[in-house]
Amino acid sequence: MFTPESNQFTLSLPHWATDQLNSLPAKLSTLEERMEAVLLFAGLNVRHQSGGPFAAGVFSADSGRLVAMGVNRVMPGNCSSAHAEIMALSLAQQRLGSYDLGAPGSDAHQLVVNWCPCAMCFGALLWSGIRSLAISGSGPPLEELTGFDEGPLHPQWREELARRGITLQENILREEAIAQFKTFAASGQPVYNGRQG
Ligand SMILES: [Zn+2]
């Protein structure tokens, strides 16, 4: 039988995230500082075994104020779409009370991620109203190092961002991000791709 409770679901960050968020500076001015914070959360998510090795932050692009941070919650949340970008974008939208992070009168918002978004998250960021994307890298190293399937990202994804007025900055702290994926791969923690094999 269906019940009101069976017709809703909740996703949340792990318990350790709240204190970590409150210990960050209120504003992170440079892209490197923002990516450092994202990498910190990705690393902690692996260390606490609270999800996959991914984190994403939504920042006010100009001031550097952190609006929301997300980490991967697929396995703990029993939700294949609980990627770090979905968590960060959704938390930012709830916090700002708007489905459109680029609504008139709002700050321009930036999404910072510790690798190129997968096929699903690329779609999600297009619909989110985000005005800029900053990533540590893209392409084969992630899949080769970890085995995570990033899906059929469109080969013209950079042009599609540009066409929609979303600026892209790449290779922010790339070596640090790759080093983290190597640590994750060596940890033996699960890679959860659906319908694997
Ligand atoms: Zn994703």
Side-chain angles (χ1 to χ4, degrees):
M1 198 173 93
F2 290 97
T3 63
E5 290 71 32
S6 72
N7 289 333
Q8 58 179 304
F9 71 96
T10 302
L11 291 171
S12 57
L13 296 187
H15 291 302
W16 57 260
T18 306
D19 285 346
Q20 282 294 330
L21 283 166
N22 288 326
S23 69
L24 289 176
K27 290 182 177 178
L28 296 165
S29 307
T30 69
L31 261 186
E32 284 74 17
E33 287 172 332
R34 296 173 200 177
M35 187 65 79
E36 266 175 28
V38 166
L39 289 170
L40 171 69
F41 274 71
L44 286 170
N45 208 32
V46 172
R47 193 178 332 151
H48 289 280
Q49 301 193 17
S50 48
F54 305 103
V58 172
F59 295 87
S60 170
D62 294 332
S63 73
R65 186 176 73 90
L66 177 63
V67 180
M69 185 75 85
V71 293
N72 178 285
R73 296 290 280 161
V74 168
M75 291 182 71
N78 294 319
C79 181
S80 61
S81 55
H83 288 192
E85 297 94 319
I86 305 291
M87 297 295 296
L89 293 169
S90 303
L91 286 167
Q93 289 163 345
Q94 296 303 305
R95 195 168 181 199
L96 297 176
S98 172
Y99 64 87
D100 183 359
L101 299 174
S106 88
D107 286 1
H109 289 107
Q110 177 181 53
L111 182 66
V112 180
V113 197
N114 68 329
W115 202 251
C116 186
C118 73
M120 172 184 72
C121 292
F122 186 75
L125 82 88
L126 295 184
W127 312 145
S128 71
I130 281 287
R131 304 318 303 156
S132 62
L133 172 67
I135 56 178
S136 57
S138 62
L142 169 64
E143 292 187 339
E144 288 171 2
L145 286 169
T146 67
F148 281 107
D149 183 357
E150 294 304 292
L153 188 60
H154 196 280
Q156 303 295 311
W157 64 275
R158 289 181 179 84
E159 289 77 2
E160 192 60 31
L161 289 175
R163 198 173 72 74
R164 293 167 185 267
I166 300 170
T167 60
L168 172 66
Q169 282 153 302
E170 301 188 63
N171 299 321
I172 315 298
L173 302 184
R174 187 174 195 276
E175 294 313 310
E176 289 86 341
I178 287 177
Q180 268 195 349
F181 293 137
K182 287 181 178 167
T183 302
F184 172 80
S187 76
Q189 289 190 38
V191 176
Y192 53 72
N193 299 320
R195 300 187 61 184
Q196 223 178 169

